[in-house]
């Protein structure tokens, strides 16, 4: 047997209806906020992610699935959606006609992380981006859009954590202060953080190693180093969130794992899973579009992990199986051909119908109808057929009726009792 790649997962039929539910709710929410769908390839030139996400991030340093194509190009499976969406926007000059773009995308991402509960190497994201609007109201509205998805789906115990990571200038001043603070304890940091000390010291604040957590306990916070403009922007975002009733908590240590953020950064955190397994996260990026060859404008967006949403719903014990209207139980060989025709006639008339044409006892067929959550079972035997009749059973009330074949549809639709 050839098995799955480690960290990848199948979405089996009993799960796929839950996925369809999540995706349709998310699509609905995002369209309500004016987002339109964009679908970009799952593979891009490696350089896009190096430039977009940042060389010194864990994602680019060690988590990408990268290979050299026969032509010699280095290609990577996308570890996130933002860089690809922006590449597409710039390549097709979409901003030329619409100075503000609101786009969403849903699909698989790939990161070679250590797999664990809720952490996969292929996972699905709902991703949204607003490009070209730097008003703090847009930050608040984007966070509202993210929380609306989580609420529409019925995910429980998720809260919003926000922070401002400042602009490049305040971040540079802060990095300097942070390095000054960390330097005496450099030997106590984990090997990854010792490296991050030079390349990306902010990430040290987010490290899960207990030694690094202990060192960072009294570290200076970025909030103390924001310049007046960034502080004002953050203040307005918070005020706007309050004005539209979004509950949030300022988390002064929230820094995010991708390098492109400036100012607003946020995460949707489940009370038990914590920030290391956030349900969603995002923020503003001021220079990413320009760095990818586009105009010098700002954007804000978020990604929500579908697996993590699905896990949340699982814990609540919902059933998402799609009901079918009719299961056709065939009694005896001679009824088979007529049942086949009848099933397909009912489908043609718009009902969802299932049937099995291989030999099966009535008991087994009734069991299957139950498992498929059929609303009605139409039982058809040779004798009934001869009189143009069938027995139909309401699977909820357990009532049975003998009806003519013409009446089946009306009964199922509740037009006749
Ligand atoms: P991110 O925080 O890296 O942000 O990922 C967003 C969400 O994707 C996470 O909160 C989580 O639910 C899910 N996720 C990430 N990695 C995994 C994994 N290994 N297994 C399962 N789920 C995972 C971004 O990707 C940014 N591009 C979001 C964004 C859009 N920022 C601005 N625009």
């Amino acid at each position: 047997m050839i098995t799955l790649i480690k960290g990848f997962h199948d979405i089996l039929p009993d799960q796929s209806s839950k996925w369809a539910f999540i995706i349709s709710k998310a699509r609905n929410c995002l369209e309500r906020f004016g987002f339109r769908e964009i679908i970009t390839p799952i593979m891009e030139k490696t350089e896009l992610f190096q430039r977009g996400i940042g060389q010194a991030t864990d994602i680019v340093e060690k988590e990408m699935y990268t290979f050299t194509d026969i032509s010699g190009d280095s290609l990577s499976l996308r570890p996130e959606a933002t860089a690809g969406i922006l590449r597409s926007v710039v390549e097709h000059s979409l901003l030329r006609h619409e100075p503000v773009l609101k786009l969403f995308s849903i699909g698989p991402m790939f990161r070679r992380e250590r797999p664990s509960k809720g952490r996969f190497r292929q996972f699905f994201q709902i991703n949204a981006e607003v490009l070209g609007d730097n008003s703090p109201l847009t930050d608040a509205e984007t966070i509202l859009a993210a929380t609306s998805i989580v609420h529409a789906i019925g995910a429980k115990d998720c809260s919003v954590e926000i922070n401002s990571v400042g602009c490049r200038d305040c971040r540079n001043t802060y990095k300097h202060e942070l390095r000054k603070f960390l330097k005496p304890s450099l030997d106590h940091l984990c090997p990854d953080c010792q490296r991050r000390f030079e390349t990306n010291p902010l990430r040290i604040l987010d490290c899960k190693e207990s030694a690094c957590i202990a060192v960072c306990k009294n570290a200076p916070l970025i909030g103390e180093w924001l310049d007046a403009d960034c502080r004002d922007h953050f203040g307005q975002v918070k005020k706007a969130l309050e004005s539209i009733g979004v509950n949030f908590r300022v988390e002064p240590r929230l820094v995010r794992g991708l390098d492109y953020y400036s100012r607003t950064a946020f995460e949707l955190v489940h009370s038990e899973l914590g920030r290391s397994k956030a349900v969603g996260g995002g923020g503003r990026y001021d220079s990413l579009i320009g760095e990818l060859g586009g105009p010098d404008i700002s954007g804000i967006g978020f990604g929500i992990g579908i697996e993590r949403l699905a896990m949340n719903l699982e814990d609540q014990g919902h059933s998402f199986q799609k009901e079918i209207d009719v299961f056709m139980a065939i009694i005896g060989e001679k009824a088979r051909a007529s049942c086949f025709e009848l099933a397909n006639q009912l489908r043609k008339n718009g009902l969802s119908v299932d049937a099995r044409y291989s030999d099966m006892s009535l008991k087994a067929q009734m069991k299957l109808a139950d498992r498929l959550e059929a609303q009605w079972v139409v039982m058809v035997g040779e004798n009934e057929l001869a009189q143009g009749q069938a027995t139909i059973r309401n699977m909820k009330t357990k009532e049975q009726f003998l009806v003519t074949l013409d009446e089946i549809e009306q009964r199922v639709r509740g037009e006749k009792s």
Side-chain angles (χ1 to χ4, degrees):
M1 182 179 58
I2 300 169
T3 56
L4 265 172
I5 306 170
K6 187 177 173 193
F8 285 56
H9 63 107
D10 298 313
I11 300 149
L12 298 175
D14 64 344
Q15 288 284 314
S16 59
S17 39
K18 189 195 301 177
W19 280 62
F21 168 80
I22 292 174
I23 290 171
S24 94
K25 288 277 181 195
R27 206 179 275 283
N28 206 279
C29 270
L30 289 165
E31 284 169 357
R32 224 162 5 98
F33 278 83
F35 290 88
R36 285 176 302 146
E37 188 162 17
I38 182 166
I39 302 167
T40 62
I42 58 161
M43 208 190 312
E44 300 272 0
K45 292 181 181 159
T46 304
E47 196 193 345
L48 174 73
F49 303 119
Q50 288 168 334
R51 213 187 305 166
I53 301 171
Q55 274 286 10
T57 56
D58 281 359
I59 296 179
V60 170
E61 254 179 5
K62 50 187 186 188
E63 292 172 0
M64 284 210 297
Y65 284 93
T66 297
F67 71 99
T68 308
D69 182 49
I70 248 168
S71 65
D73 290 336
S74 177
L75 305 179
S76 295
L77 292 179
R78 62 181 180 193
E80 59 107 52
T82 313
I85 292 175
L86 298 193
R87 193 258 325 129
S88 176
V89 165
V90 172
E91 192 166 347
H92 299 285
S93 308
L94 299 186
L95 285 158
R96 197 182 297 155
H97 310 291
E98 267 180 273
V100 175
L101 272 178
K102 296 170 96 172
L103 302 170
F104 77 92
S105 198
I106 299 173
M109 310 294 150
F110 305 84
R111 294 183 194 172
R112 205 180 184 290
E113 296 191 71
R114 191 183 304 160
S116 59
K117 189 170 187 249
R119 178 166 291 125
F120 301 93
R121 290 181 170 176
Q122 176 184 294
F123 57 95
F124 283 71
Q125 262 187 9
I126 300 155
N127 201 92
E129 314 290 345
V130 183
L131 312 178
D133 188 334
N134 56 11
S135 162
L137 298 181
T138 298
D139 297 45
E141 197 169 275
T142 306
I143 295 172
L144 176 65
T147 58
S148 302
I149 293 175
V150 170
H151 290 150
I153 283 161
K156 293 270 181 307
D157 304 323
C158 285
S159 56
V160 179
E161 295 187 353
I162 63 168
N163 195 18
S164 173
V165 294
C167 63
R168 191 173 288 164
D169 289 345
C170 7
R171 242 183 351 267
N172 280 341
T173 320
Y174 174 63
K175 275 184 193 166
H176 178 72
E177 290 303 316
L178 187 59
R179 283 200 185 98
K180 236 168 49 188
F181 170 86
L182 293 170
K183 196 153 192 192
S185 316
L186 201 53
D187 292 345
H188 300 296
L189 296 176
C190 74
D192 272 348
C193 284
Q194 291 190 10
R195 203 169 25 81
R196 288 175 186 140
F197 179 79
E198 287 305 336
T199 56
N200 199 354
L202 264 72
R203 298 290 304 142
I204 301 176
L205 297 175
D206 215 24
C207 181
K208 307 295 169 311
E209 294 290 331
S210 51
C212 303
I213 292 173
V215 169
C216 291
K217 206 164 163 228
N218 297 314
L221 299 169
I222 180 110
E224 297 157 15
W225 297 92
L226 295 183
D227 62 24
D229 281 354
C230 290
R231 196 168 304 143
D232 179 55
H233 188 273
F234 192 37
Q236 290 191 54
V237 174
K238 289 185 279 187
K239 208 168 129 205
L241 283 171
E242 279 159 10
S243 74
I244 48 177
V246 176
N247 290 323
F248 63 90
R249 194 167 70 82
V250 175
E251 173 44 68
R253 286 169 184 276
L254 195 158
V255 289
R256 306 277 298 133
L258 302 99
D259 263 2
Y260 48 63
Y261 293 109
S262 40
R263 297 193 165 172
T264 312
F266 65 95
E267 292 198 325
L268 304 174
V269 182
H270 187 268
S271 53
E272 272 166 38
L273 291 172
R275 204 147 27 90
S276 66
K277 286 186 182 164
V279 170
R284 182 165 280 287
Y285 39 88
D286 279 342
S287 44
L288 183 56
I289 306 171
E291 268 161 29
L292 297 177
D296 193 17
I297 56 167
S298 161
I300 180 162
F302 62 83
I304 294 180
I306 298 187
E307 285 78 1
R308 295 197 186 159
L309 280 177
M311 257 166 67
N312 185 303
L313 296 186
E314 218 156 83
D315 295 344
Q316 297 179 43
H318 279 298
S319 163
F320 295 94
Q321 177 145 318
K322 279 235 164 65
E323 295 169 344
I324 55 166
D325 296 319
V326 172
F327 186 85
M328 184 82 58
I330 304 169
I331 309 167
E333 173 74 40
K334 291 193 179 131
R336 194 164 297 155
S338 305
C339 283
F340 170 72
E341 283 172 29
L342 184 56
N344 283 298
Q345 187 54 49
L346 292 174
R347 282 189 189 124
K348 216 189 244 172
N349 296 351
L351 295 179
S352 54
V353 182
D354 206 355
R356 295 292 177 270
Y357 302 117
S358 51
D359 264 342
M360 244 178 135
S361 69
L362 180 60
K363 197 171 157 199
Q365 292 183 76
M366 294 305 285
K367 246 187 169 165
L368 180 57
D370 217 26
R371 197 158 62 73
L372 296 173
E373 293 184 18
Q375 301 294 294
W376 293 86
V377 173
V378 175
M379 289 173 267
V380 190
E382 195 186 332
N383 295 340
E384 288 158 314
L385 258 182
Q387 292 161 33
Q389 290 181 321
T391 302
I392 72 167
R393 180 179 172 87
N394 183 324
M395 295 295 276
K396 269 204 190 105
T397 64
K398 313 288 178 214
E399 288 169 296
Q400 278 189 198
F401 313 91
L402 189 64
V403 298
T404 66
L405 298 184
D406 295 339
E407 274 171 358
I408 293 176
E409 195 186 330
Q410 284 170 298
R411 286 275 182 174
V412 170
R413 292 193 191 280
E415 289 161 6
K416 189 167 180 173
S417 51

